[in-house]
Amino acid sequence: MSVVIRNAQRAVAVRRAPLRRAVGALRAALGAARFDVALVCAGNGTMRRLNAAYRRRDEPTDVLSFPFHQVAAGELPRPRFRDDYNLGDIFLGVEYIGEHCRRTGEDFDSVLAVTAAHGLCHLLGYQHNTKSEWQQMYQKEKEILEELSRATGANLRPLTADLF
């Protein structure tokens, strides 16, 4: 199925092809290749508004996920109709991520792929509100990022590596 990417900001240049390839590989690693997913690359203003509206945090953030299905961590949705083969939408705060990369010297495309992996895990029910949830999500992120790293030669670490 498809990976749809919309660049809704102008602050940071986004290379869509590497992001599309990374998200395709990550979906396959999650066993969700037959599901569509949409990514919106957003600036700090949009991310701040969404974060305030949905998480009550009036600040920009790196990623927000909006699942199409409600599933338990690690479960794949079981759509009844063809149009329901959709994981949901991931908003990537590319301006926020770009600022982070400028401060740390990290590669923007790599951090974008890691952030997308984090968003995909949220679409599949993973959370990190407690230590046990974090451990489960961390292991899944680590697993799929290792698979992507093998395919690309990168050395990608989970976004939540230092959360607890």
Side-chain angles (χ1 to χ4, degrees), residues 84-102:
D84 290 344
Y85 279 84
N86 184 349
L87 292 178
D89 301 328
I90 300 171
F91 280 73
L92 295 169
V94 295
E95 184 176 1
Y96 185 92
I97 294 166
E99 291 166 355
H100 166 82
C101 290
R102 281 190 291 284

Side-chain angles (χ1 to χ4, degrees), residues 7-110:
N7 189 4
Q9 55 81 50
R10 295 182 186 187
V12 179
V14 176
R15 296 177 342 132
R16 293 179 196 194
L19 179 58
R20 183 174 285 109
R21 282 192 300 273
V23 171
L26 292 164
R27 280 185 319 153
L30 286 163
R34 68 181 188 265
F35 290 89
D36 293 329
V37 66
L39 292 100
V40 178
C41 299
N44 283 344
T46 299
M47 294 304 286
R48 169 179 269 129
R49 283 188 297 280
L50 290 171
N51 206 18
Y54 291 98
R55 297 180 64 225
R56 308 227 190 294
R57 295 185 182 179
D58 189 22
E59 60 191 14
T61 189
D62 54 355
V63 62
L64 292 168
S65 297
F66 300 94
F68 189 79
H69 302 275
Q70 297 299 320
V71 294
E75 285 187 13
L76 288 175
R78 290 182 223 143
R80 292 180 183 211
F81 305 102
R82 184 177 175 94
D83 288 346
D84 290 344
Y85 279 84
N86 184 349
L87 292 178
D89 301 328
I90 300 171
F91 280 73
L92 295 169
V94 295
E95 184 176 1
Y96 185 92
I97 294 166
E99 291 166 355
H100 166 82
C101 290
R102 281 190 291 284
R103 280 192 315 274
T104 64
E106 293 178 79
D107 176 68
F108 178 76
D109 289 331
S110 295

Side-chain angles (χ1 to χ4, degrees), residues 17 25 31 37 45 53 57 60 63 67 88-89 91 93 121 124 126 129-130 133 138 142 144 146 153 158 162:
V37 66
R57 295 185 182 179
V63 62
D89 301 328
F91 280 73
C121 285
L124 291 176
Y126 291 95
N129 298 318
T130 66
E133 286 177 345
Y138 177 82
K142 185 173 181 252
I144 65 174
E146 284 173 353
D162 301 317

Side-chain angles (χ1 to χ4, degrees), residues 111-147:
V111 174
L112 203 56
V114 168
T115 307
H118 186 81
L120 282 166
C121 285
H122 277 306
L123 293 182
L124 291 176
Y126 291 95
Q127 298 297 323
H128 46 77
N129 298 318
T130 66
K131 187 171 184 176
S132 63
E133 286 177 345
W134 167 77
Q135 288 172 324
Q136 186 181 27
M137 185 167 182
Y138 177 82
Q139 287 305 315
K140 182 52 71 174
E141 281 186 54
K142 185 173 181 252
E143 175 188 316
I144 65 174
L145 288 170
E146 284 173 353
E147 197 162 321

